[in-house]
């Protein structure tokens, strides 16, 4: 059927099935890929928003026939890099763009609002944006961008070319190097990349929580028209596993073995199109023996529990013991004993797990997809295909969020297998339901603390027991216990410690890396237990922590000293007046309420430390090249999934060289070009890779200045690098960089230099713990508003104080804090994955703009000993104190302790009625 409409002011005539969604038509038929899909065509995420006759609509729910005769605007029609719409400009300036996956939809929704309302209020903007999910920013920057645009359009303020936000010490921020591409919809995420002849990969997954695979007949599927191949475990030429990432997990379950969680993969169906892939998946004949399953650690530890592995259901166990605990408790005037329970959480990155694979001209197998360490994935893929790693290339494209989820190499290995067997390009794109079923989750914890203190408020002893639920496969769960213990003790000084953490298999979803890997759950329990103790002692919670904060030189809870500057005292001193001010305001609010009001305001507080840097080599490399035309290229591996690492690395290099960041091009996280920098998890990138980048830039500067010194016949100390020249500070002699590049060629000296950050002399092998004792600290205070009748909780304001060592790009550092806070708010109030029930955004409640508190972010800079310009890791740390601050706020407000996450209205009401929150 012929359909005519106007698209971005141009007339379009199409001959298409009118029932097809506009989303599919605009992406596949018209090639405009700025409009995104994030939720299985269910209208739940808003990433596909377009304007139809200036009204925002979900293009995934809109049949193309419905736009006939209408005017449609997609992100490509809003503005171009040369001619940005004021909204696009404001999004860049205010830091409203992180991964950018939600950005096109956000911009168009905002455009419709501003077309209707001249100067909308904050509440109006929040309400308008409520249908557009953003997992990265925390929404506040988006609101700010809309407010600012409204003022610009009304002539009340001027558009600026650079971000106006100053950082600590007045440092200005740099605009993100990828922001213009993102606000104009030009960024190519994996699903937007076109390769002729691309096949579709679909996965047959076990529908059972625990079952033995008895029979798998792929014959009927192979007869389906359009199905090219069906692969099972026997088609894996190398290792049927995920290597060190998840040592118990097969790529595909072999016949005769068990599938240990719902969604465990059994077969891969490769087809010419999606429809054939669907039909092929349904045609496979598969039989299981369904086995009794269990989800809870208590069930896993029961005497008669089925044992999921020959060594039993306990994956790992870590302990810490020092001091005389009995004596410490004997000396205590108050002891609290409390158990806290956290929930499974799903990352919910707006871009689903997606990988494109193909052979390049060098007959190398290339995989393009969001990841945390391309070289590790390269190794895993090569092992499964029995190839030399050099035959595999992993490329990291712009990535629509990860938060740890995209560390899982499974989608890469599966796609590589499909390319290997067909020789053709293959795309694997999880559905949102698959993402919920099969991607790793945050581990639920059960944590019991026994904490003692003297009447004067000095901590004495601490006993901790942690059981972490790692699900059916390990996904690094064996390392989790170390991080669990780190969070369970925090930056406090104790006389004696007895701590045990266990990682336990169940038939829940595999749990893995998730912003803060293992620390937020135990920190939550600790900070709530400390709050109980402070209340029992009738002490101010901030002063109580100040009195017990770990001195820089002392042995920590873990039994050894910290290896970085701590900064916790500075954090607590900074937040103290903010906490007190909110407490006073809450008291005033409650006094002013009518007698029959059901609303109560309260304030919660939490401190924290977070061990950043994780594991991996202490020697990290980066490289830099001056091209023969004078351009500088930086090569490093610090995957950017929206947190802004590419911008940060460029800024570090520029700062060291003394030139504008725009003069440096970065090639980031591509195994064909960039050195292996180890895993980029645990907020390691800025500190480790940034440190290597700084060293590399220093070497490049030295190379440029010494070469120029020869040419100009003057000492290198008298030369400066500025813009694209080396100039003498004594006279007006100067040389363009391209001339230096040519001179290096003439001298047969490499134009590429390599620099290394090497921390091994500071932390010698054999004398250091398995994980470096590198910490960042922070604290947050949350204002909460509780409806005693309904149990609903709102969080109007959060004040966050974080020591970042040095904010490389202040606007992005703030953005990381704000995004983490909203994620932490989800942890506290609404996010809970229930195996066998939760299938997508429809039944997993994420914070929307309506949940967004006002966030005041204060960055403290206590310089690190080893990081670039004194920087520390930040991205994950800011999530740690949010949930305990909110829960402590609720508990203090209602006079009952909430000990189970999330604090749903049912749990709050249950606590109010019965004193127990397990409603
Ligand atoms: Fe909004 Fe990433 S910037 S989802």
């Amino acid at each position: 059927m012929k359909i005519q409409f106007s698209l971005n002011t141009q007339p379009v005539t199409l001959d298409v099935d009118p029932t097809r969604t506009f989303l599919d038509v605009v992406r596949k038929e018209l090639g405009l890929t700025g409009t995104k899909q994030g939720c299985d065509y269910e209208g739940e995420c808003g990433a596909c928003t377009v304007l139809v006759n200036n009204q925002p609509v979900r293009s995934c729910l809109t049949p193309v026939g419905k736009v006939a005769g209408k005017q449609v605007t997609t992100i490509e029609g809003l503005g171009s890099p040369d001619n940005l719409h004021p909204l696009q400009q404001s999004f860049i300036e205010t830091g409203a763009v992180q991964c950018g996956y939600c950005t096109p939809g956000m911009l168009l929704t905002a455009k419709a609002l501003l077309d209707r309302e001249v100067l909308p209020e904050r509440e109006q903007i929040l309400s308008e944006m409520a249908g557009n999910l953003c997992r990265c920013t925390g929404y506040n920057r988006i609101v700010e961008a809309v407010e600012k645009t409204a003022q610009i359009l009304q002539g009340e303020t001027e558009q600026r070319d650079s971000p106006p936000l100053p950082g600590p010490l007045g440092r200005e921020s740099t605009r993100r190097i990828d922001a213009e591409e993102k606000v104009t919809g030009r960024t190519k995420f994996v699903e937007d990349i076109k390769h002729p002849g691309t096949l579709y990969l679909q996965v047959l997954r076990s529908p059972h929580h625990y079952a033995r695979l008895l029979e798998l007949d792929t014959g009927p599927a192979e007869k389906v028209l359009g199905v090219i191949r069906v692969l099972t475990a026997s088609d894996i030429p190398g290792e049927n596993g995920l290597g060190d990432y998840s040592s118990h997990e097969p790529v595909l379950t072999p016949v005769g073995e068990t599938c240990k969680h719902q969604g465990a993969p059994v077969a891969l169906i490769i087809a010419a199109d999606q429809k054939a892939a669907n039909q092929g998946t349904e045609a496979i004949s598969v039989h299981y023996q369904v086995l009794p399953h269990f989800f809870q650690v208590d069930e896993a530890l029961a005497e008669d529990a089925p044992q999921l592995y020959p060594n039993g259901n306990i994956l790992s166990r870590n302990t810490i013991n020092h001091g005389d605990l009995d004596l410490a408790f004997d000396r205590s005037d108050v002891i609290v004993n409390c158990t806290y329970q956290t929930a499974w959480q799903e990352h919910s990155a707006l871009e689903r797990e997606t990988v494109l694979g193909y052979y390049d001209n060098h007959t190398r197998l290339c995989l393009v997809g969001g990841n945390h360490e391309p070289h590790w994935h390269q190794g895993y893929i090569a092992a499964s295909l029995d190839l030399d790693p050099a035959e595999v290339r992993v490329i990291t494209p712009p990535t629509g969020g990860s938060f740890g989820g995209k560390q899982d190499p499974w989608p890469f290995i599966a796609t590589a297998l499909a390319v290997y067997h067909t020789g053709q390009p293959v795309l694997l794109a999880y559905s949102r339901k698959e993402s919920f079923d099969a991607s790793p989750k945050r581990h639920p914890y059960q944590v019991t603390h026994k904490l003692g203190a003297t009447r004067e408020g000095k901590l004495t002893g601490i006993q901790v027991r942690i059981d972490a639920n790692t699900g059916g496969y390990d996904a690094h769960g064996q390392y989790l216990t170390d991080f669990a213990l780190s969070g369970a003790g925090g930056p406090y000084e104790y006389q004696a410690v007895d701590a045990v953490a266990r990682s336990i298999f169940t038939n829940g979803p595999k749990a893995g890396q998730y912003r803060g890997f293992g620390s937020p759950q135990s920190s939550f329990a600790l900070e709530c237990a400390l709050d109980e103790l402070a209340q029992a002692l009738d002490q101010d919670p901030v002063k109580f922590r100040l009195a017990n904060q770990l001195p820089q030189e002392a042995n920590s809870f873990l039994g050894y000293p910290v290896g970085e500057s701590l900064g916790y005292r500075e954090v607590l001193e900074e937040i103290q007046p903010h906490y007190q001010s909110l407490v006073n305001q809450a008291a005033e609010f409650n006094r002013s309420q009518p007698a029959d009001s059901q609303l109560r305001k309260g304030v919660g507080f939490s401190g924290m430390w977070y061990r950043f840097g994780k594991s991996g080599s202490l020697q990290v490399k980066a490289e830099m090249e001056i091209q023969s035309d004078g351009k500088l290229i930086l090569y490093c591996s610090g995957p950017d999934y929206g947190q802004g690492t590419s911008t940060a690395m460029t800024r570090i290099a520029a700062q060291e060289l003394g030139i504008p960041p725009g003069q440096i091009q970065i090639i980031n996280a591509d195994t064909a070009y960039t050195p292996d920098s180890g895993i980029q998890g645990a907020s390691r990138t800025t500190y480790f890779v940034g440190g290597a980048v700084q060293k590399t830039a220093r070497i490049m500067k030295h190379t440029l200045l010494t070469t120029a010194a020869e040419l100009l016949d003057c000492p290198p100390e008298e030369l400066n690098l500025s813009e694209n020249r080396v100039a003498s500070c004594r006279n007006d002699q100067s040389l363009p960089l391209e001339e230096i590049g040519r001179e290096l060629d003439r001298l047969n000296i490499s134009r590429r230099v390599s620099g290394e950050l090497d921390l091994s002399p500071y932390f010698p092998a054999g004398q250091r713990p398995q994980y470096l004792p590198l910490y960042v600290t922070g604290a947050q205070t949350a204002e909460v508003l509780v409806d005693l009748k309904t149990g609903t909780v709102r969080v109007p304001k959060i004040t966050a104080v974080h020591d970042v060592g040095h904010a490389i790009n202040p606007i992005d550092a703030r953005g990381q804090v704000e995004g983490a806070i909203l994620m932490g708010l989800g942890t506290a109030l609404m996010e809970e994955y229930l195996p066998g029930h939760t299938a997508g955004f429809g039944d997993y409640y994420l914070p929307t703009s309506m949940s967004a508190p006002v966030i005041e972010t204060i960055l403290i800079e206590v310089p690190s000993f080893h990081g670039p310009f004194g920087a520390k890791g930040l991205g994950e740390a800011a999530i740690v104190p949010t949930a305990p601050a909110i829960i402590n706020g609720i508990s203090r407000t209602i006079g009952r302790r909430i000990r189970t996450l999330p604090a749903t209205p049912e749990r709050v009401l249950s606590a109010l009625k019965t004193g127990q929150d397990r409603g």
Side-chain angles (χ1 to χ4, degrees):
M1 176 177 163
K2 280 217 173 1
I3 294 171
Q4 293 185 325
F5 56 95
S6 158
L7 179 63
N8 300 329
T9 72
Q10 299 298 311
V12 171
T13 303
L14 286 176
D15 194 359
V16 287
D17 175 353
T19 64
R20 281 182 70 187
T21 65
F22 185 78
L23 174 62
D24 266 2
V25 170
V26 77
R27 285 182 58 87
K28 293 178 184 166
E29 308 302 330
L30 299 170
L32 298 183
T33 55
T35 309
K36 306 299 180 198
Q37 183 228 329
C39 67
D40 293 350
Y41 297 80
E42 288 177 355
E44 288 159 342
C45 74
C48 69
T49 302
V50 299
L51 301 181
V52 177
N53 287 352
N54 288 329
Q55 293 303 310
V57 300
R58 302 277 188 271
S59 64
C60 74
L61 298 177
T62 306
V64 66
K66 276 211 157 187
V67 308
K70 297 183 177 162
Q71 294 181 340
V72 184
T73 306
T74 65
I75 189 63
E76 290 85 354
L78 189 63
S80 65
D82 297 335
N83 185 24
L84 293 173
H85 186 279
L87 262 170
Q88 293 168 313
Q89 183 81 1
S90 297
F91 265 56
I92 294 173
E93 288 173 5
T94 56
V97 185
Q98 289 193 24
C99 82
Y101 207 78
C102 72
T103 305
M106 286 282 183
L107 280 163
L108 292 172
T109 303
K111 162 93 168 47
L113 172 64
L114 293 186
D115 284 348
R116 252 193 2 257
E117 293 288 336
V118 175
L119 283 170
E121 301 285 332
R122 175 182 163 87
E123 291 306 317
Q124 218 175 343
I125 299 169
L126 290 171
S127 165
E128 189 76 11
M129 313 304 276
N132 291 71
L133 293 176
C134 175
R135 196 58 163 159
C136 302
T137 64
Y139 300 106
N140 276 285
R141 301 276 155 208
I142 293 169
V143 173
E144 198 182 314
V146 177
E147 286 173 336
K148 183 173 180 179
T149 308
Q151 289 163 5
I152 289 164
L153 292 174
Q154 292 310 302
E156 290 184 12
T157 187
E158 280 181 22
Q159 195 95 49
R160 298 207 10 198
D161 283 339
S162 60
L165 269 184
L169 311 176
R171 279 198 311 280
E172 287 269 312
S173 299
T174 302
R175 65 163 57 194
R176 283 189 178 224
I177 58 176
D178 51 3
E180 282 182 3
E181 293 272 296
K182 286 177 174 173
V183 297
T184 53
R186 283 160 169 77
T187 299
K188 294 290 179 206
F189 296 91
V190 184
E191 231 174 337
D192 305 331
I193 301 169
K194 299 287 171 227
H195 255 270
T198 297
L199 303 175
Y200 290 78
L201 174 57
Q202 188 138 318
V203 187
L204 176 68
R205 299 179 181 280
S206 167
H208 307 294
H209 298 294
Y210 189 32
R212 189 170 300 282
L213 180 61
L214 295 179
E215 199 184 317
L216 188 62
D217 181 3
T218 61
E222 277 153 5
K223 292 194 184 105
V224 171
L225 189 66
V227 169
I228 311 292
R229 276 295 297 265
V230 180
L231 304 175
T232 65
S234 60
D235 295 305
I236 300 172
E239 182 190 320
N240 183 10
L242 308 188
D244 172 64
Y245 172 76
S246 190
S247 50
H248 296 70
E249 185 175 357
V251 177
L252 295 170
T253 305
V255 172
E257 299 293 327
T258 55
C259 301
K260 294 186 175 66
H261 70 80
Q262 187 186 60
V266 166
L268 305 177
I269 300 89
I270 309 155
D273 56 45
Q274 192 65 61
K275 193 171 161 198
N278 292 344
Q279 289 172 345
T281 307
E282 280 168 21
I284 291 177
S285 173
V286 56
H287 294 285
Y288 302 93
Q289 175 194 7
V290 178
L291 301 167
H293 67 267
F294 51 88
F295 295 141
Q296 304 302 329
V297 292
D298 292 348
E299 297 171 283
L301 297 172
E303 258 182 35
D304 57 349
Q307 300 300 296
L308 298 185
Y309 293 95
N311 291 335
N313 291 338
I314 298 178
L315 169 63
S316 64
R317 185 175 189 276
N318 272 53
T319 61
I320 304 171
N321 273 291
H322 50 86
D324 186 334
L325 193 69
D326 290 338
L327 183 63
F329 283 140
D330 282 347
R331 285 179 184 154
S332 305
D333 295 304
V334 178
I335 291 177
V336 296
N337 208 327
C338 47
T339 300
Y340 282 82
Q341 175 77 48
T342 68
W344 270 294
Q345 279 185 274
E346 159 61 28
H347 303 80
S348 306
L350 261 277
E351 181 195 29
R352 298 154 290 119
E353 292 78 357
T354 313
V355 178
L356 174 70
Y358 55 88
Y359 278 108
D360 69 6
N361 295 337
H362 309 285
T363 63
R364 194 169 35 183
L365 211 167
C366 299
L367 285 308
V368 187
N371 66 82
H372 284 241
E373 214 316 295
H375 298 81
W376 286 22
H377 278 23
Q378 182 186 34
Y380 297 140
I381 294 161
S384 285
L385 295 182
D386 197 20
L387 295 175
D388 187 303
E391 296 176 81
V392 176
R393 176 183 176 192
V394 174
I395 303 166
T396 311
T399 303
S402 172
F403 317 109
K406 286 175 180 149
Q407 193 169 330
D408 184 356
W410 192 90
F412 281 75
I413 300 173
T415 309
L417 270 169
V419 178
Y420 176 89
H421 280 286
T422 61
Q424 284 184 251
V426 174
L427 178 74
L428 168 64
Y430 279 18
S431 67
R432 182 56 66 184
K433 180 175 185 319
E434 264 185 306
S435 184
F436 268 74
D437 279 351
S439 73
K441 306 284 172 282
R442 188 188 291 291
H443 299 75
Y445 279 16
Q446 191 169 295
V447 188
T448 301
H449 272 98
K450 184 176 176 186
L451 280 173
T454 64
R455 194 170 296 110
E456 294 74 32
K458 283 300 276 185
L459 284 168
T460 53
I462 177 170
Q463 186 178 63
V464 195
R465 296 291 180 265
I466 303 171
D467 281 337
N469 188 337
T470 201
Y473 301 104
D474 67 64
H476 278 175
Q478 64 271 42
Y479 308 122
L480 183 91
T481 42
D482 209 296
F483 289 82
L485 289 178
S486 163
Y492 306 105
E493 200 171 25
Y494 306 93
Q495 296 167 13
V497 176
D498 165 23
V500 181
R502 299 185 294 185
S503 192
I504 295 164
F505 286 118
T506 67
N507 296 117
K510 70 174 179 184
Q513 298 69 26
Y514 191 147
R515 201 171 202 159
F517 185 62
S519 295
Q521 305 96 310
S522 51
S523 293
F524 159 72
L526 171 70
E527 291 292 335
C528 290
L530 286 173
D531 206 54
E532 294 198 37
L533 196 50
Q535 274 195 304
L537 290 161
D538 197 20
Q539 294 218 351
D540 174 284
V542 187
K543 289 180 183 156
F544 179 58
R545 285 163 175 88
L546 258 171
N548 289 288
Q549 46 115 8
L550 183 71
Q552 180 77 54
E553 306 302 334
N555 271 3
S556 74
F557 163 88
L558 298 162
Y560 43 82
V562 296
E564 260 301 353
S565 65
L566 211 44
Y568 195 40
R569 180 178 52 77
E570 289 84 345
V571 164
L572 292 172
E573 286 173 352
E574 177 66 34
I575 205 165
Q576 171 71 40
H578 296 272
Y579 172 74
Q580 197 52 53
S581 163
L582 283 182
V583 168
N584 296 343
Q585 287 170 34
E588 180 55 37
F589 174 89
N590 292 334
R591 267 197 301 275
S592 68
Q593 291 296 294
D596 59 349
S597 170
Q598 296 295 313
L599 288 180
R600 293 286 183 282
K601 206 173 239 191
V603 183
F605 174 80
S606 172
M608 71 103 201
W609 74 356
Y610 172 68
R611 183 168 62 195
F612 71 95
K614 212 174 186 178
S615 53
S617 172
L618 302 193
Q619 287 124 344
V620 176
K621 281 196 170 79
E623 295 174 3
M624 199 167 205
E625 182 180 21
I626 175 167
Q627 292 192 308
S628 45
D629 61 1
K631 284 205 184 76
L632 288 163
I633 304 186
L634 172 65
Y635 302 90
C636 61
S637 289
D640 192 337
Y641 7 97
Q643 73 278 49
T645 50
S646 292
T647 304
M649 295 306 110
T650 309
R651 186 161 160 141
I652 288 169
Q655 199 166 332
E656 188 65 35
L657 286 162
I659 59 174
Q663 258 182 260
I664 299 168
Q665 184 193 335
I666 183 170
I667 294 181
N668 193 358
D670 178 337
T671 58
Y673 294 102
T674 61
D676 181 356
S677 303
I679 188 68
Q680 298 318 309
S683 306
R684 179 181 161 93
T685 310
T686 299
Y687 188 83
F688 278 97
V689 184
V693 165
Q694 185 184 27
K695 304 265 186 215
T696 307
R698 196 172 295 164
I699 294 168
M700 175 56 81
K701 187 172 185 177
H702 177 77
T703 304
L704 296 176
L705 295 187
T706 50
T707 309
E710 290 291 327
L711 288 171
L712 296 172
D713 195 21
C714 71
E717 307 79 60
E718 291 180 10
L719 294 176
N720 271 329
L721 195 53
S722 67
E723 298 290 325
N724 51 2
R725 304 183 78 79
V726 171
S728 164
C729 50
R730 271 228 303 221
N731 53 43
D732 59 0
Q733 286 193 97
S734 74
L735 276 177
L737 291 186
E738 58 190 281
E739 210 163 304
I740 301 174
R742 280 198 295 271
E743 177 67 3
L744 289 169
D745 281 345
R746 196 184 66 76
L747 297 171
N748 209 18
I749 296 173
S750 173
R751 285 184 277 102
R752 191 155 166 153
V753 301
S754 176
E756 183 179 70
L757 174 76
D758 184 3
L759 294 191
S760 57
Y762 304 102
F763 303 100
Q767 295 176 38
R768 70 173 181 96
Q770 183 182 7
Y771 299 106
L772 293 187
L774 311 175
Y775 290 92
V776 279
T777 60
Q780 293 177 13
T781 185
E783 182 185 53
V784 300
L785 190 60
V786 185
D787 186 324
L788 302 179
K789 192 167 173 206
T790 64
T792 53
V793 177
R794 271 208 329 113
V795 182
K797 180 170 183 185
I798 287 183
T799 301
V801 177
H802 287 269
D803 170 29
V804 298
H806 171 95
I808 297 292
N809 196 23
I811 196 169
D812 283 347
R814 288 168 193 276
Q816 285 297 296
V817 172
E818 291 173 11
I821 284 175
L822 213 74
M823 214 173 238
L825 183 144
T827 306
L829 299 181
M830 60 193 79
E831 292 187 37
E832 183 170 23
Y833 174 94
L834 299 169
H837 173 74
T838 311
F841 291 152
D843 44 27
Y844 184 81
Y845 305 118
L846 292 168
T848 69
S849 54
M850 294 302 285
S851 316
V854 170
I855 299 172
E856 183 179 9
T857 305
I858 300 165
L859 304 179
I860 298 281
E861 294 190 316
V862 177
S864 70
F865 302 147
H866 309 297
F869 305 108
K872 301 174 186 171
L874 169 70
E876 292 164 278
I879 197 174
V880 178
T882 309
I886 293 171
I887 297 300
N888 286 336
I890 300 170
S891 299
R892 282 173 178 257
T893 307
I894 66 174
R896 299 271 200 282
R897 274 284 149 187
I898 300 287
R899 294 205 179 98
T900 307
L901 289 180
T904 56
E906 294 77 16
R907 287 193 175 119
V908 174
L909 281 183
S910 172
L912 274 165
K913 285 181 187 151
T914 67
Q916 303 286 320
D917 61 11
R918 290 162 206 266

